[in-house]
C-alpha cells in the first residue's frame, strides 16, 4: 500500500519539520519559511494528497479541493482563524479541519495591552524624536509628550475597557488590565444570543470589576477608554469599526485592533486620528496586508502605530502553533484524534 | 509688610499657574514651558525669594542658596527624585524641601511594563519595517519577528521579574505583571538593611507569587527574565548595571530602565545588545540626556528602544505633579503644612 502524501505549504523550521520525518507518510513541502507558497505550486502538488497543512495566506476553496481529489482527509491550518478556508465545502466533502486556537491567546493579549500603552504614550512620536537626534531639542518639560494615562489615576479613577468580541483573547487582555486599575468592562456579543445579566454579574465578580456589561456597539463606542477589536473576521464583522463608530468614541480614547484587518475601515480610522475624534490607534493587522506601503493612510498618521501582524509572534507560541498544526495534520491523515479539531455544525 | 516672593523655574501651563495668582505672594516665573530655565536667570531672580519651585533640570547647590539669601524657606521640586538638590545644604540652612512622590507611580509602572513588552516583541524593528514600506516584503511567516514571550507559556511556565530597587514603582510594576503569569520575583534591597525572609514570604502572599526573594545583584542578573532598574539615582547606584552584570543575564532576558540614566552604563548595554548577551533593552532614561544624538551607542542598537524620558508623561500625572509642587511651595512659603515634604534624617 502506498504511503499517504501530506503537503506542507510552508517550511516550519528544522525542529518542527523533524516531526514529519516518519516512515508512514510522504511529505511534500514548500521550501521557504519566509515566503508564502505559490497558488500554482499548491494546486499542482495537492493532487492526491491525504493531508494539507496551510497558513493564513493559503486559500482553501472548491478549486483547491477539486485538485486534491477524493483522498483528502484533513486540512490543518496554523492559525486561530479559518476565514481563508471554505468551511462549508470541507463539511460537504467530509474533510476534517484542524486549527490552532488557545495557544496564541496569551501572546496576542500581551500585544493588545502593549498597543494600548504605546498609543496613549505617543510612542511613535517619542521614539521618532530620539531616533532622529531631536532629543536635545526636546528636553524634559512638564507637559511634553503627554497623552491619556492607561492606568487609573486621581483625575480619571474610572477606567472602562471595551471589547468588540469577548472570547479568550479578549478575556486574557482584560485580566491583564485589572491591576492597571480598570473598573468597568463593556463588550459586544454574538447577535444571535441574548444579553445575560447573570452571566455579566458573574464575570464582574471573576475579574474583580465594578461591572461587566454586554452592550450595543454604539454604547461600547461611547463608554470605552480603550476599544479592543478582538472578534473573528468574515462578512458579519466587516468594517464593524467605521466612521459612525469612531465618531462616537471619546476624544481621549484609543482603538486597538489585534484581530483581523477588515474589521476596521482604514480610511475612517486614519480620518479619526487626523481629525482627533479619538486619541489614536494601534493596529497589528490592516485590511489588504501585507501590501501596505508608505502611502497608506494609516502609515501617514503619527498617532497610529502599525505593527506587521506580530500578535502571536513569540518563539514559544509559534513553535507551539506549528507543533499543534502538525499534530492535527497527522491525526487527520492517520484517522486518529486531532488535538484541536473544528466542529462542523 | 512686603509680600513673599516665589520663583517658578518653569511655566506650568495656564491651569496650574492660575493657582499662583493670589494676593499674598509675588510671583516671578520663567516664561517657557518647553525650555529649561537658564542658570543665570535663576541666580539673579532667586535673590530675596521665600520659595523656589524647580524641575529636575535645575540644580540647587550652595551657590544658588547663597544667592537666594536667608529668607528662603522652601524648595519645591516637581519630581520624585531630588538628586539635583543638595539636601544636606538645605538641612543645614533649615530650608524645607517638597517633592512629588507616589503621584507618578502608576504612570511609570505603565511605561515599565510597556517597555518590557516592546523589547521582547522587537517593536523597534517591526515598526521600522512598516514605516519604511517593507511590509509587502515581510509577509506573515511562522517565525518572523519572533522574540521571547513576556507572559508565561507552555515552553516557559516559570517567569521571574527582577527589580533593582523595590519601592513603590517597582511594586506597582510587579502588580501589573502578575496576570501575565509571572511566578517569581527577585529584588535587591538597601544594603544597609538585612534580608528578611518573613517579609519576603508576606510579599509573595500579597502578590500571589510562588516566591519573592531579596537577593544579591549577581543572583538577580542570573535569574530574571526581565530586569527592571527602579532604584534612586546618586553615587551608590552609579553604573549598577555594568558589563559584569549584563554578562550574567540570560540571553533571552530584557533590561528595562525607567529610573535614572546613570544607573546603567550605556556602552556596556549597547555591547550587551550587539553581542547578544541579552535579548534587548528598553530605556526611558539615558546618562547624559537630553544630549543624546544619533551617534549614541544605544540609538544605533536595533534591539534597544530609547524613549525621551516620558515615564510620568501623562496629562493626568503631570497635572497632578505640578499641582502638588505648587501646594508644597505654598505650604512652605506660608509656614503651613506641605502635602509631601522630604523628611531630613
Amino acid at each position: 500500500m502506498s504511503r499517504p502524501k501530506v503537503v506542507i505549504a510552508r517550511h516550519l523550521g528544522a525542529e518542527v519539520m523533524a516531526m514529519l520525518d516518519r516512515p508512514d507518510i510522504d511529505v511534500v513541502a514548500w521550501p521557504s519559511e519566509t515566503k508564502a507558497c505559490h497558488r500554482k505550486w499548491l494546486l499542482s502538488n495537492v493532487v492526491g494528497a491525504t493531508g494539507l497543512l496551510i497558513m493564513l495566506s493559503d486559500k482553501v476553496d472548491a478549486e483547491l479541493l477539486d485538485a486534491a481529489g477524493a483522498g483528502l482527509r484533513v486540512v490543518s491550518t496554523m492559525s486561530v482563524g479559518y476565514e481563508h478556508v471554505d468551511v462549508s465545502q470541507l463539511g460537504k466533502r467530509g474533510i476534517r479541519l484542524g486549527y490552532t486556537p488557545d495557544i496564541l491567546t496569551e501572546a496576542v493579549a500581551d500585544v493588545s495591552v502593549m498597543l494600548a500603552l504605546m498609543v496613549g504614550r505617543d510612542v511613535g512620536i517619542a521614539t521618532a524624536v530620539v531616533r532622529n537626534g531631536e532629543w536635545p531639542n526636546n528636553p524634559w518639560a512638564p507637559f511634553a509628550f503627554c497623552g491619556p494615562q492607561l492606568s487609573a489615576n486621581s483625575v480619571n479613577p474610572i477606567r472602562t475597557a471595551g471589547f468588540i468580541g469577548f472570547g479568550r483573547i479578549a478575556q486574557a487582555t482584560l485580566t491583564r488590565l485589572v491591576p492597571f486599575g480598570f473598573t468597568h468592562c463593556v463588550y459586544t456579543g454574538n447577535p444571535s444570543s441574548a444579553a445575560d445579566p447573570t452571566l455579566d454579574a458573574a464575570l464582574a465578580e471573576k475579574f474583580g470589576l465594578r461591572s461587566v456589561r454586554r452592550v450595543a456597539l454604539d454604547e461600547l463606542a461611547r463608554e470605552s477608554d480603550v476599544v479592543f477589536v478582538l472578534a473573528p473576521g468574515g462578512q458579519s464583522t466587516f468594517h464593524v469599526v467605521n466612521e459612525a463608530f469612531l465618531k462616537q468614541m471619546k476624544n481621549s480614547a484609543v482603538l486597538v485592533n489585534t484581530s483581523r484587518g477588515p474589521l476596521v475601515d482604514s480610511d475612517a480610522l486614519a480620518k479619526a486620528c487626523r481629525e482627533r475624534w479619538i486619541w489614536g490607534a494601534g493596529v497589528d493587522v490592516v485590511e489588504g496586508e501585507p501590501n501596505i506601503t508608505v502611502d497608506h493612510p494609516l502609515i501617514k498618521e503619527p498617532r497610529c502605530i502599525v505593527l506587521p501582524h506580530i500578535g502571536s509572534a513569540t518563539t514559544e507560541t509559534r513553535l507551539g502553533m506549528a507543533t499543534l498544526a502538525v499534530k492535527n495534520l497527522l491525526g487527520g491523515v492517520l484517522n486518529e484524534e486531532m488535538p484541536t479539531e473544528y466542529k462542523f455544525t
Side-chain angles (χ1 to χ4, degrees), chain A:
Chain A
M1 206 177 90
S2 78
R3 298 185 298 178
K5 172 181 173 182
V6 302
V7 175
I8 313 292
R10 190 72 68 104
H11 194 279
L12 297 171
E15 189 176 337
V16 177
M17 292 309 279
M19 292 173 65
L20 292 160
D21 187 11
R22 33 190 296 161
D24 53 352
I25 53 171
D26 269 336
V27 177
V28 178
W30 174 254
S32 174
E33 191 179 311
T34 53
K35 288 206 166 36
C37 166
H38 293 161
R39 177 77 177 173
K40 218 167 143 179
W41 181 92
L42 197 56
L43 281 169
S44 83
N45 281 280
V46 80
V47 177
T50 307
L52 173 61
L53 191 154
I54 56 163
M55 307 289 117
L56 208 51
S57 42
D58 306 308
K59 208 175 162 75
V60 175
D61 51 14
E63 182 193 29
L64 187 75
L65 298 173
D66 287 345
L72 189 66
R73 288 186 194 151
V74 60
V75 171
S76 169
T77 181
M78 182 180 156
S79 61
V80 62
Y82 37 78
E83 65 272 23
H84 52 307
V85 175
D86 188 333
V87 173
S88 71
Q89 280 289 334
L90 292 194
K92 258 188 255 176
R93 299 170 191 234
I95 298 167
R96 297 164 81 185
L97 173 62
Y99 66 130
T100 58
D102 303 352
I103 200 158
L104 48 57
T105 299
E106 304 302 325
V108 181
D110 284 4
V111 162
S112 303
V113 172
M114 181 185 84
L115 281 173
L117 285 162
M118 285 176 67
V119 175
R121 291 315 191 84
D122 261 355
V123 164
I125 295 166
T127 51
V129 161
V130 173
R131 191 172 59 240
N132 298 333
E134 292 293 328
W135 193 356
N137 306 323
N138 289 272
W140 193 97
F143 297 100
F145 302 108
C146 279
Q149 183 162 326
L150 185 69
S151 59
N153 53 75
S154 54
V155 179
N156 289 315
I158 302 296
R159 303 266 84 197
T160 301
F163 294 92
I164 298 179
F166 200 52
R168 292 186 191 91
I169 299 174
Q171 296 192 31
T173 302
L174 180 58
T175 302
R176 284 160 172 72
L177 292 175
V178 172
F180 285 82
F182 272 70
T183 50
H184 297 77
C185 167
V186 289
Y187 69 97
T188 58
N190 187 329
S192 66
S193 69
D196 181 348
T198 312
L199 172 68
D200 285 352
L203 287 167
E205 172 80 21
K206 175 183 161 191
F207 288 103
L209 297 175
R210 289 196 224 164
S211 79
V212 174
R213 285 185 310 123
R214 178 169 154 183
V215 298
L217 204 56
D218 59 342
E219 190 175 349
L220 185 137
R222 285 195 307 270
E223 296 209 351
S224 302
D225 294 303
V226 191
V227 172
F228 294 93
V229 184
L230 281 166
Q235 274 309 313
S236 66
T237 54
F238 180 76
H239 285 196
V240 61
V241 173
N242 55 19
E243 276 207 22
F245 181 91
L246 291 160
K247 274 190 175 153
Q248 291 182 85
M249 283 178 67
K250 299 181 187 178
N251 294 143
S252 59
V254 164
L255 184 100
V256 172
N257 185 10
T258 46
S259 53
R260 292 286 176 256
L263 277 78
V264 175
D265 178 341
S266 292
D267 289 324
L269 182 59
K271 197 171 171 191
C273 290
R274 195 165 56 245
E275 299 185 359
R276 298 290 164 91
W277 306 347
I278 65 173
W279 178 264
V283 298
D284 184 43
V285 288
V286 180
E287 191 178 0
E289 70 181 60
N291 297 315
I292 306 299
T293 47
V294 290
D295 56 350
H296 190 280
L298 290 179
I299 306 288
K300 290 191 281 188
E301 282 309 313
R303 282 278 178 76
C304 184
I305 295 185
V306 183
L307 297 178
H309 204 152
I310 61 168
S312 63
T314 68
T315 310
E316 298 90 337
T317 288
R318 290 285 175 85
L319 265 179
M321 289 170 70
T323 303
L324 185 54
V326 168
K327 287 182 180 167
N328 281 332
L329 176 78
L330 293 175
V333 166
L334 305 171
N335 289 323
E336 291 170 1
E337 202 183 330
M338 292 164 56
T340 46
E341 181 173 3
Y342 175 80
K343 307 272 176 255
F344 292 93
T345 46

